[in-house]
Amino acid sequence: MFFGVDYYPEQWPKARWDTDAKMMRAAGMNVVRIAEFAWSRMEPVKGQYDFTWLDEIIAVMAEQDIRVVLGTPTATPPKWLMDENPDIYPVDLYGIQKGFGTRRHYCSVNPVYRELSKRIAGEMAEHFKYDKNIIAWQVDNEFDTGCYCSHCRKGFQNWLREKYQTIEHLNEHWGTVFWSQTYQDFEQVILPAYTAFDGFTQGGAVNGIAGAPFNHNPGLLLDYNRFKSDAVVEFQNIQIREIRQCTSLPITHNCMGHFSELDYFDLGKDLDFISWDSYPSSAWGKGTSTQLAMAHDLMRGIKGKNFWVMEHQSGPVGWQTFGDTPEPGQLRLWTYQALAHGAEAMLYFRWRSALYGTEQLCHGIIDHDGIGRRRYEEIARIGKELKQLGELFVDSNTINEAVLIKSYDNFWSHRIQPYNSQFDYNVLLMEYYHALAANQIPADVTGIDVDFSSYRLVLMPAFNLMTDEIRSKCEKYVKEGGSLLITFKSGTKNWDNGMSERTKPGYFRELAGIELEEYDSLNYGRKVRVRGLDYECLARSFCEVIQCNGASVLASYESHYYAGKAAVTVNQYGKGRVYYVGCDLEPDALTALMKHIVKESRVTPILTAAAEGIDAVRKSISDKTYIIITNHNNREERVEFEKSYYDLLGERMLHGQETIEAYGVRILEEIL
Ligand code: GAL
């Protein structure tokens, strides 16, 4: 298994390299990722390449049996390149061009930049093609999107021409007759930039979610999001093609978990494997155990395959301020949680805390003074344990009976029109993932293209943009005995982001056996009481008033003018069932409802009892079954289970229950 670190040899004197490599080896490391920001060192002057220093560091690493992942440096085009081609800088929605001084200062649509990126990737690939110590490539670093320059406008127009063929077709799909926005030619089509009724000064910035002004035509906005995402995929693929001309080594990109500006399912298609960067607790936020678990599951879901963690926090992280210092045991805990959810390689960010630059405060495994202390010791302990466990996590399979569907198109559509200012699609997905986890049900998280037939329960919260194909897929699945869960804000729009003519809930009406009489967006703190089988709670953002056409009621409203009407229903359809949740539910209520749903759907919990903050995953490795439990609480917790297990790290048998220390980990092999 690969276990290692992100290393920046260009930031340290050569005299130190050997010491670093030896310390890495002593911690059990066998891989480094290098070079992803080092363009100015690789090509100090236009056309003059210097890869000798990289050859040297690769050799130093090889001495210690440490392999190398090489990153292409296109996230940081150097100053000479930008001075020569200032057109590459991205433009914001107010038309202001951004400047030099940080990173990602490029527009991925810019044809000159595409050419220059291709060239540097090609030069690297050519130079390193015979180096046996390189094991993989990473393209760029953490792709982002968003630019409003003239190349983007042209690119968008071409993208639309390809999609719609005729301008009449585009007008029809977007409904441009509204407010006289009809276009006569693709060349007239705008980017959704700053506009008269802009959406910020008119109160369009919802929920603190930044993005394009929302008052543009929703069809245009959605297509712009799709175009931006496709443009990055194209940008990436230019480099992939270039590298593949020289080598058959696997190629990856380091994704960002829940980040949703880019369609990761599209991005992943041309990559050999997915990797991602996990920062559980930084200046930018702190993830709960389920948020982290879900991010790992989504990363596994991109290709339905195990992934790498290419960067994992190894100390306090931030730029001007930094987040919490990982407590003793937390780096180990997060590492095993990642491995449990499908990581099969772990690299930490970064080796040593930098002495200069924006990221002086993104602390590494070893401190500014080059000394490894508590965090180094903890990582060395993990390295040792992983040797003991052998190749356990490589090629392991995660076995789940439930799947949660994420759609980037739906994320963008909901952001364009959330209906209620408290609504956030990603948060809703997280709430459903959490409700499963609270019932000890781990889930796959993936896109709508997944084969439903291997799951007992499919959850499609707020799947609002729909097509006939997706409806047929759902119908077939349920008819044959599957359980499908859908929620409010589902099935009522077509794929163009326009409203469907169908009676709500639109594409799901027959399947769910219901009709919506109306819906109610809850504003200014108004709440509506809901009562279910064994729970009561308050809806706080959105209530749909349901009329049953064959479905049975699982929960009803208890206040406001629709008191007594159905809020949650279930419909028998063919051999299966469709659950419809017509409003937002508080976490405990959702957990209670989910308990009922998973039981009826015959989805089996991993543990029979566990506290919040316990994460459990079931895996099959060779022909054995394992469960991996991580305790994210800073106190010991008791868990209960039905079977008997052998504790691989503790080397003892467990029957029925176990007490796990604060931040503790158990890797358990099922005994038949
Ligand atoms: C990641 C990024 C790294 C570094 C790290 C810490 O998002 O890929 O280069 O910036 O965050 O801030």
Side-chain angles (χ1 to χ4, degrees), residues 77-96:
K79 188 67 169 45
W80 61 259
L81 185 154
M82 298 308 294
D83 285 351
E84 209 168 281
N85 308 282
D87 194 34
I88 290 173
Y89 287 114
V91 171
D92 76 5
L93 57 91
Y94 300 104
I96 297 172

Side-chain angles (χ1 to χ4, degrees), residues 336 340 392-393 397 399 440 442 604-608 614-621 624-630 639-649 654 656-658 660 665-671:
Y336 282 107
L392 187 70
F393 294 99
N397 285 314
I399 325 167
Q440 308 312 321
T604 27
I606 297 191
L607 304 172
T608 43
I614 292 286
D615 181 41
V617 175
R618 189 191 291 125
K619 292 179 89 78
S620 83
I621 304 171
K624 294 182 178 152
T625 303
Y626 295 80
I627 59 170
I628 299 161
I629 312 174
T630 44
V639 297
E640 291 173 14
F641 35 81
E642 272 170 355
K643 303 198 167 126
S644 293
Y645 294 94
Y646 181 71
D647 172 1
L648 293 190
L649 291 173
L654 305 183
Q657 63 176 61
E658 169 71 338
I660 306 181
V665 174
R666 294 289 181 276
I667 301 171
L668 308 178
E669 185 183 317
E670 190 179 304
I671 305 299

Side-chain angles (χ1 to χ4, degrees), residues 8 33 36-37 103 141-142 254 256 277 279 284 311 317-319 349 359 362:
Y8 298 92
R33 182 200 60 185
E36 85 279 12
F37 296 123
R103 61 179 178 183
N141 187 79
E142 296 189 339
N254 51 338
M256 294 188 278
D277 300 344
Y279 291 86
W284 301 283
E311 298 180 11
V317 173
W319 285 2
F349 184 90
E359 296 197 335
C362 288

Side-chain angles (χ1 to χ4, degrees), residues 5-232:
V5 70
D6 305 306
Y7 188 48
Y8 298 92
E10 69 277 20
Q11 297 174 13
W12 305 101
K14 277 189 191 173
R16 172 75 194 195
W17 291 357
D18 188 48
T19 309
D20 285 340
K22 285 182 175 142
M23 284 175 76
M24 289 174 195
R25 184 181 170 139
M29 293 184 172
N30 56 10
V31 67
V32 286
R33 182 200 60 185
I34 58 172
E36 85 279 12
F37 296 123
W39 196 335
S40 69
R41 287 292 307 276
M42 286 188 238
E43 191 183 2
V45 176
K46 185 181 176 183
Q48 291 179 21
Y49 299 96
D50 175 11
F51 297 118
T52 49
W53 64 279
L54 277 167
D55 292 333
E56 285 169 45
I57 186 64
I58 294 170
V60 169
M61 290 297 160
E63 285 271 298
Q64 303 305 324
D65 265 337
I66 296 174
R67 309 278 164 255
V68 171
V69 176
L70 264 190
T72 67
T74 45
T76 47
K79 188 67 169 45
W80 61 259
L81 185 154
M82 298 308 294
D83 285 351
E84 209 168 281
N85 308 282
D87 194 34
I88 290 173
Y89 287 114
V91 171
D92 76 5
L93 57 91
Y94 300 104
I96 297 172
Q97 190 159 40
K98 298 180 180 176
F100 196 79
T102 51
R103 61 179 178 183
R104 308 216 55 74
H105 41 277
Y106 71 82
C107 163
S108 60
V109 178
N110 185 292
V112 172
Y113 196 57
R114 285 187 169 193
E115 200 42 47
L116 293 168
S117 301
K118 179 174 156 189
R119 201 185 303 158
I120 186 73
E123 290 288 339
M124 285 179 80
E126 181 60 35
H127 180 88
F128 293 105
K129 68 181 174 187
Y130 299 122
D131 196 319
K132 292 269 177 293
N133 211 40
I134 297 169
I135 50 152
W137 285 78
Q138 173 186 301
V139 172
D140 204 288
N141 187 79
E142 296 189 339
F143 283 127
D144 203 338
T145 66
C147 175
Y148 298 82
C149 73
S150 57
H151 300 289
C152 283
R153 180 156 179 213
K154 199 101 257 77
F156 186 43
Q157 291 167 346
N158 290 338
W159 185 94
L160 292 168
R161 198 176 278 117
E162 195 153 304
K163 176 168 178 181
Y164 294 107
Q165 305 287 317
T166 68
I167 197 68
E168 290 75 25
H169 209 182
L170 174 145
N171 283 318
E172 205 182 298
H173 280 261
W174 286 1
T176 51
V177 64
F178 185 82
W179 283 353
S180 272
Q181 290 169 350
T182 309
Y183 296 104
Q184 287 141 327
D185 196 292
F186 284 101
E187 301 207 343
Q188 292 178 323
V189 179
I190 59 162
L191 290 176
Y194 196 46
T195 178
F197 224 65
D198 59 84
F200 289 123
T201 43
Q202 274 81 27
V206 180
N207 235 349
I209 305 171
F214 301 139
N215 293 336
H216 280 285
N217 178 300
L220 174 142
L221 280 169
L222 180 57
D223 272 343
Y224 174 62
N225 275 290
R226 289 170 172 152
F227 157 74
K228 283 194 301 179
S229 180
D230 284 1
V232 171

